[in-house]
Amino acid sequence: MKSIIKKFSICAMALVVAVMPACTDDFLTEEPQTSKSIEQILSDSDNIQYYLNGLYAKLRQCRNSREGLRLNHGTDELQIGECQLRDYPDKGSFDTFSPLYNSENSNFSQLWNLRFPIAVQAAQASRVLAEKLAADSTNVELQSFVGQAAFYEATALFEMVWYWGELPITTINPDGTIQMSGRRPLNEVYQYMIDLYTTAAKFLPAKRQGDGRIPTQYTAKVMLAKIYMAAETPEYRDYGKAKELLKDVVDNGGFSLMNSFADLWDPTKVCDQESVWTYYYNNVTDKCQLQWYCGSRAASDWGQRCPHGGYDEALPTVYAYSLKGQGGIWEEGDTRYDATIRTNFDWNGKKAAVVTGFGEDQLDPHIKKYEDERIVELDVNFWDCGKNTYYLRYADVLMLYAEALNETGATAEAVGIINDQIRARAWNWNLPEEMKWNVGMSQEEFRTNILDERMRELMAEMWRRYDLIRTGKYVEYTKARNEWAKRDGNMQDFHKRFPVPYTEITQNEFISTADQNPGLR
């Protein structure tokens, strides 16, 4: 196999996460120009954590803007706003599955190009760091570095495999050159990610370090479990392995639910007990734009200071914001609703009104989780949100563990976990009898109920497409519940995968148009 540097060179990788030893901020916000090789950059131990922090920052970019939300467009949970659909049909194709859902749509290449370079950069670092660790095997700091690099590479691939399927795998040659490949079979990709996460679980610290940005061994174990819960091939779909990994996290990870669900979305509250891994931001240098894209145009013209103002890019579907009596997901008394869904758009004595020409859904319910009230006192714009976003929460772990228990024959125990923890908190730890799940429910009934519960708990936290694909419900639920997919009637089974970007086909000599996902072009 040839070594190609057509897309990624060592110098190009260094440009992205080059090191500034004099930097006083914990995480880089600049990308200084340099021609140093990866070996030169990582030769100084003081530089290594800066390099790895850069990978963390790059992973954040996969989720902190419209590109992160877009992974959940075209599901039964989120859809694009009416104005955005009209003005940007290429973006709207994620919901309409129109002919623009194709390899030349730049939105697919953006999603690919945010993630795949991280895997390559992390693989480069892994090669250098593994050599260092081999020469100094008891160095705890080096062990953490190796674990971080493995985790970041695996996570970049994890964010791609459920949406594109077979992926290229990067090999770093002994001389440091990058050896690319064509799309590898799913089992190879799964095993590669499993090996990486296993390395991460071995070398990452057991407990939270510093401000929590560095993942722990339990973060890696949860991600391993997510592979076993979702693998599309029978050789790797293994609920037994997932159950044991998640049980370890539950028993030994030291996590617990926050007392109040609403506290999770209060930026003044410390939520470390529930955070398994979080992307951290501030309102000055490290900003999160999710508020902007989830906000309403009807509240955007008041000096752009209203915390729920924005551009209607990602709205909950009718199913995702409606009560059960209205055909939706929500049950009366569930406190998660008010913390998740915004229904009132008035602000500071001002009455919100639809802005002519920008769609009639501006005052339909919106996602509330990412609103940052601090922008008011800071007098900054609504795109200057500094609110942290969760990648993994302990509530997710508990629900996955319950699901694995159900799949391995322990449905009653699974129901107990949901009733006693997830649903109990949703009703302020006073769950009414009529809201408790029946411990005698069937395995199939639990499967249906847990998908609903995961939507209520994790709405807009970027896990819905993953959940629907792994449970085989993606097409069925989206066609029935996503307004644009239902209206246009284009969605077919092959749409559960994204098209491989045309740019990737033309730049990777081991991928051709014949390697495109079936049904797509």
Side-chain angles (χ1 to χ4, degrees):
M1 188 180 293
K2 297 178 182 177
S3 169
I4 63 168
I5 316 299
K6 190 180 294 186
K7 188 171 183 180
F8 302 112
S9 70
I10 288 178
C11 290
M13 293 304 97
L15 285 173
V16 180
V17 287
V19 177
M20 291 179 62
C23 181
T24 58
D25 200 356
D26 283 342
F27 287 79
L28 300 179
T29 57
E30 300 294 329
E31 296 179 359
Q33 301 300 304
T34 179
S35 59
K36 287 185 176 181
S37 71
I38 187 71
E39 288 84 359
Q40 290 173 313
I41 291 173
L42 301 185
S43 64
D44 184 343
S45 61
D46 291 339
N47 289 343
I48 297 174
Q49 191 60 62
Y50 282 111
Y51 184 97
L52 296 170
N53 291 346
L55 295 180
Y56 169 93
K58 289 294 177 182
L59 273 173
R60 280 192 323 184
Q61 292 179 15
C62 296
R63 290 202 175 200
N64 69 359
S65 187
R66 54 166 56 125
E67 287 78 20
L69 293 164
R70 196 160 290 134
L71 287 181
N72 273 12
H73 283 187
T75 68
D76 64 343
E77 182 179 275
L78 294 183
Q79 63 186 37
I80 197 167
E82 179 184 336
C83 174
Q84 299 281 349
L85 177 70
R86 181 196 66 209
D87 293 347
Y88 303 98
D90 55 339
K91 292 191 295 188
S93 69
F94 282 69
D95 293 287
T96 64
F97 303 97
S98 73
L100 291 174
Y101 194 98
N102 65 51
S103 63
E104 296 185 23
N105 185 329
S106 63
N107 293 284
F108 291 108
S109 60
Q110 286 172 0
L111 297 180
W112 180 288
N113 291 336
L114 276 170
R115 291 162 174 81
F116 194 68
I118 299 169
V120 179
Q121 295 161 17
Q124 288 183 292
S126 288
R127 181 190 67 83
V128 176
L129 294 171
E131 291 178 358
K132 289 178 175 291
L133 186 60
D136 190 5
S137 61
T138 61
N139 187 316
V140 174
E141 185 178 47
L142 273 176
Q143 290 175 355
S144 174
F145 293 156
V146 168
Q148 289 177 66
F151 180 88
Y152 295 144
E153 182 180 2
T155 302
L157 296 174
F158 182 96
E159 292 212 346
M160 299 179 72
V161 69
W162 315 117
Y163 314 126
W164 280 281
E166 297 82 358
L167 297 173
I169 292 178
T170 304
T171 301
I172 308 300
N173 296 318
D175 64 356
T177 56
I178 303 167
Q179 185 170 299
M180 297 293 290
S181 76
R183 300 178 72 191
R184 308 306 304 157
L186 280 177
N187 278 356
E188 284 190 33
V189 181
Y190 294 150
Q191 187 60 58
Y192 188 70
M193 291 193 299
I194 287 169
D195 291 343
L196 287 169
Y197 278 132
T198 300
T199 296
K202 177 181 178 181
F203 290 125
L204 285 171
K207 299 298 181 182
R208 176 186 178 91
Q209 303 291 304
D211 57 13
R213 285 170 165 86
I214 295 173
T216 70
Q217 63 179 241
Y218 294 107
T219 319
K221 289 176 180 179
V222 176
M223 297 302 289
L224 263 176
K226 281 183 177 274
I227 294 173
Y228 291 124
M229 298 283 284
E232 295 181 33
T233 62
E235 299 92 334
Y236 284 87
R237 178 70 69 99
D238 194 324
Y239 291 105
K241 287 182 179 179
K243 180 181 70 174
E244 292 308 310
L245 285 161
L246 294 165
K247 185 177 188 302
D248 183 21
V249 178
V250 170
D251 291 347
N252 303 309
F255 303 105
S256 61
L257 297 180
M258 291 290 291
N259 187 58
S260 167
F261 182 82
D263 284 350
L264 288 161
W265 314 105
D266 182 345
T268 68
K269 296 287 191 343
V270 177
C271 301
D272 295 348
Q273 68 191 64
E274 188 163 341
S275 169
V276 180
W277 199 47
T278 292
Y279 289 146
Y280 292 91
Y281 300 95
N282 60 55
N283 301 93
V284 182
T285 56
D286 288 325
K287 304 170 187 177
C288 174
Q289 296 181 337
L290 293 177
Q291 169 185 303
W292 177 11
Y293 292 113
C294 289
S296 171
R297 174 79 66 166
S300 67
D301 288 340
W302 298 316
Q304 297 180 335
R305 296 299 194 265
C306 177
H308 52 267
Y311 289 163
D312 305 299
E313 177 121 356
L315 278 64
T317 64
V318 174
Y319 180 77
Y321 70 66
S322 297
L323 296 174
K324 277 200 166 184
Q326 302 166 332
I329 191 81
W330 292 99
E331 300 158 303
E332 292 284 357
D334 189 335
T335 63
R336 293 173 296 190
Y337 183 85
D338 286 339
T340 301
I341 304 294
R342 171 163 294 283
T343 56
N344 181 2
F345 297 89
D346 298 344
W347 179 68
N348 206 21
K350 301 165 186 172
K351 186 74 174 175
V354 169
V355 181
T356 303
F358 289 97
E360 298 303 312
D361 54 4
Q362 297 170 52
L363 297 180
D364 287 351
H366 281 52
I367 294 296
K368 185 178 180 181
K369 284 182 174 178
Y370 299 113
E371 297 172 8
D372 188 352
E373 293 283 349
R374 294 172 301 179
I375 70 167
V376 178
E377 58 192 76
L378 291 171
D379 194 30
V380 294
N381 293 315
F382 52 50
W383 54 77
D384 291 333
C385 176
K387 204 169 188 178
N388 301 331
T389 64
Y390 303 104
Y391 195 92
L392 292 173
R393 287 197 285 117
Y394 186 56
D396 187 0
V397 174
L398 288 172
M399 289 186 291
L400 288 173
Y401 182 42
E403 196 174 340
L405 285 167
N406 178 61
E407 294 297 335
T408 53
T411 303
E413 184 180 355
V415 170
I417 289 172
I418 301 302
N419 280 340
D420 296 344
Q421 298 198 64
I422 302 299
R423 290 179 68 78
R425 179 175 67 175
W427 270 264
N428 284 327
W429 303 101
N430 189 24
L431 182 64
E433 284 296 320
E434 66 271 18
M435 291 300 177
K436 292 180 180 178
W437 287 5
N438 181 1
V439 294
M441 72 170 57
S442 69
Q443 187 182 60
E444 187 58 37
E445 188 179 0
F446 185 93
R447 288 171 180 155
T448 299
N449 289 344
I450 197 65
L451 263 183
D452 285 348
E453 196 67 19
R454 285 182 65 79
M455 180 189 277
R456 287 186 285 264
E457 180 72 29
L458 301 174
M459 188 176 294
E461 294 181 50
M462 321 308 181
W463 288 111
R464 190 59 179 178
R465 186 185 291 263
Y466 163 86
D467 283 341
L468 293 179
I469 289 174
R470 69 184 176 83
T471 56
K473 296 294 186 180
Y474 176 56
V475 176
E476 176 189 349
Y477 283 8
T478 301
K479 287 173 72 172
R481 299 168 177 171
N482 182 296
E483 178 183 351
W484 310 126
K486 181 166 52 176
R487 182 198 69 179
D488 288 10
N490 296 320
M491 190 182 191
Q492 299 185 54
D493 188 63
F494 59 74
H495 285 119
K496 70 182 181 182
R497 287 193 175 180
F498 292 157
V500 177
Y502 181 72
T503 52
E504 185 65 25
I505 292 172
T506 57
Q507 293 183 64
N508 185 337
E509 63 183 273
F510 303 106
I511 297 179
S512 70
T513 54
D515 298 312
Q516 184 58 267
N517 282 324
L520 300 173
R521 64 176 182 85

